[in-house]
Amino acid sequence: MDTKRTVFPSQGLPYLLVAPQLIITLIFFIWPAGQAVKSSFEREDPFGLSTSFVGLMHYGRLFQDPAYLASMGRTALFALAVTVISMGLALVLATAVNRLIRSGTAYSTLLLWPYAVSPVVAGILWWFIFNSTTGILPYVLEFFGVDWNHQLNGGQAMILIIIAASWKQISYNFLFFLAGLQSVPQSLNEAAAIDGAGPFKRFWTIVFPLLSPTTFFLMIVNLNYTMFDTFGVIDATTAGGPNQATNTLVYKVYSDGYIGLNLGSSSAQSVILMLFVIVLTVIQFRYVERRVQY
């Protein structure tokens, strides 16, 4: 069987077609990343008038800074909680919608709407809900003996940003899990049901292993989401407080660089954050992917 091939009239046309994307990537991704690496080895005054080369001084100070090391721990807790909660709830919702026959499309549309909300709007929404003065949830929690005030309690502030960031990501995970569930052959479930396997056993022994490529992909996406895309949620809800209780790595880059005007240290933090994500992604591909069944 012959496969159809596209023949370009000239050798330069393919490069011309991909040139806009390459230019955008170079200007908005490669060049800023290179500037961040360059700035991490320099000390610059807040106005950018003088620059001096300091080598690895910023990196050495960061790993000796208790505040930065504490921020690493908070980021690890935040990333783990958001990934588990958003993927877990998305899988439950996708499984429930996949069992529906008539109203599945309507429920899917409703569940996808939160993904269209920007991170800042999502943060403000949950800030109003958990506001200790006007929010509805603190009023309800008071009946259970919980005095909610995330502006004073660091643990409650961390719970708030975890809930807000997870809610924002559930829709994205739901979409991929639903697509994965719909691609599972129904004949496998029917054969297992004939053999006497219950719904729970059929899901964990047949459906969930077949979802492993989707789950592996979403693990990587959610990791990058918690490391980079949650800045707007944190800034709108807690702004890193109280007492830096929610000051994650990505927010510390902003607070030290934009607010504190420590450009060299902020650049070093962004480089370290990028390296962390790269290393974790490589580890996932190297070890976790072995358990994935394609």
Side-chain angles (χ1 to χ4, degrees):
M1 180 179 178
D2 296 333
T3 57
K4 295 182 179 180
R5 300 179 60 185
T6 301
V7 180
F8 292 96
S10 64
Q11 295 182 352
L13 182 59
Y15 300 100
L16 182 63
L17 294 175
V18 300
Q21 181 62 43
L22 293 177
I23 293 174
I24 292 175
T25 302
L26 179 64
I27 295 176
F28 294 102
F29 293 95
I30 305 300
W31 183 76
Q35 288 295 108
V37 174
K38 175 179 175 294
S39 298
S40 68
F41 296 105
E42 299 174 341
R43 178 161 55 188
E44 184 176 358
D45 69 281
F47 301 100
L49 300 177
S50 62
T51 302
S52 59
F53 181 79
V54 294
L56 298 175
M57 184 188 73
H58 294 304
Y59 294 95
R61 287 183 175 180
L62 284 175
F63 287 105
Q64 294 176 358
D65 184 8
Y68 184 73
L69 297 178
S71 180
M72 285 186 179
R74 285 190 294 268
T75 303
L77 173 64
F78 174 70
L80 178 63
V82 171
T83 301
V84 172
I85 293 174
S86 61
M87 290 183 63
L89 291 178
L91 181 58
V92 172
L93 293 172
T95 304
V97 170
N98 190 50
R99 296 172 64 90
L100 297 175
I101 299 177
R102 295 182 178 180
S103 55
T105 303
Y107 280 108
S108 299
T109 304
L110 293 175
L111 289 171
L112 287 177
W113 277 358
Y115 187 66
V117 178
S118 67
V120 175
V121 175
I124 294 175
L125 171 66
W126 285 99
W127 181 87
F128 274 111
I129 294 175
F130 279 97
N131 186 276
S132 58
T133 304
T134 59
I136 184 63
L137 282 184
Y139 179 76
V140 175
L141 292 173
E142 189 176 355
F143 285 97
F144 297 94
V146 178
D147 183 18
W148 181 275
N149 191 342
H150 64 269
Q151 295 176 331
L152 299 177
N153 190 306
Q156 294 177 355
M158 177 60 71
I159 294 174
L160 171 59
I161 65 171
I162 289 174
I163 293 175
S166 299
W167 177 82
K168 177 70 176 66
Q169 191 68 1
I170 286 175
S171 299
Y172 183 89
N173 297 334
F174 164 81
L175 180 64
F176 281 90
F177 274 132
L178 182 61
L181 289 170
Q182 292 177 347
S183 65
V184 175
Q186 189 63 25
S187 58
L188 298 178
N189 276 320
E190 294 174 353
I194 294 175
D195 291 338
F200 186 80
K201 187 176 182 180
R202 292 200 303 269
F203 178 82
W204 287 110
T205 59
I206 297 177
V207 177
F208 190 70
L210 294 176
L211 284 177
S212 55
T214 303
T215 305
F216 176 68
F217 164 76
L218 289 177
M219 283 178 58
I220 298 175
V221 171
N222 280 264
L223 174 65
N224 285 273
Y225 165 74
T226 55
M227 291 292 183
F228 295 108
D229 295 340
T230 54
F231 167 81
V233 174
I234 298 173
D235 189 52
T237 52
T238 63
N243 194 24
Q244 299 188 3
T246 57
N247 197 10
T248 60
L249 291 178
V250 65
Y251 197 81
K252 189 169 175 57
V253 171
Y254 161 78
S255 61
D256 288 0
Y258 186 78
I259 299 177
L261 297 180
N262 192 348
L263 302 181
S265 177
S266 176
S267 298
Q269 292 177 44
S270 65
V271 172
I272 293 174
L273 179 59
M274 180 178 62
L275 292 177
F276 276 162
V277 174
I278 292 175
V279 170
L280 289 175
T281 303
V282 170
I283 292 175
Q284 286 181 320
F285 273 100
R286 182 70 177 83
Y287 298 101
V288 180
E289 193 183 20
R290 293 179 178 179
R291 300 177 180 270
V292 176
Q293 301 179 13
Y294 290 100

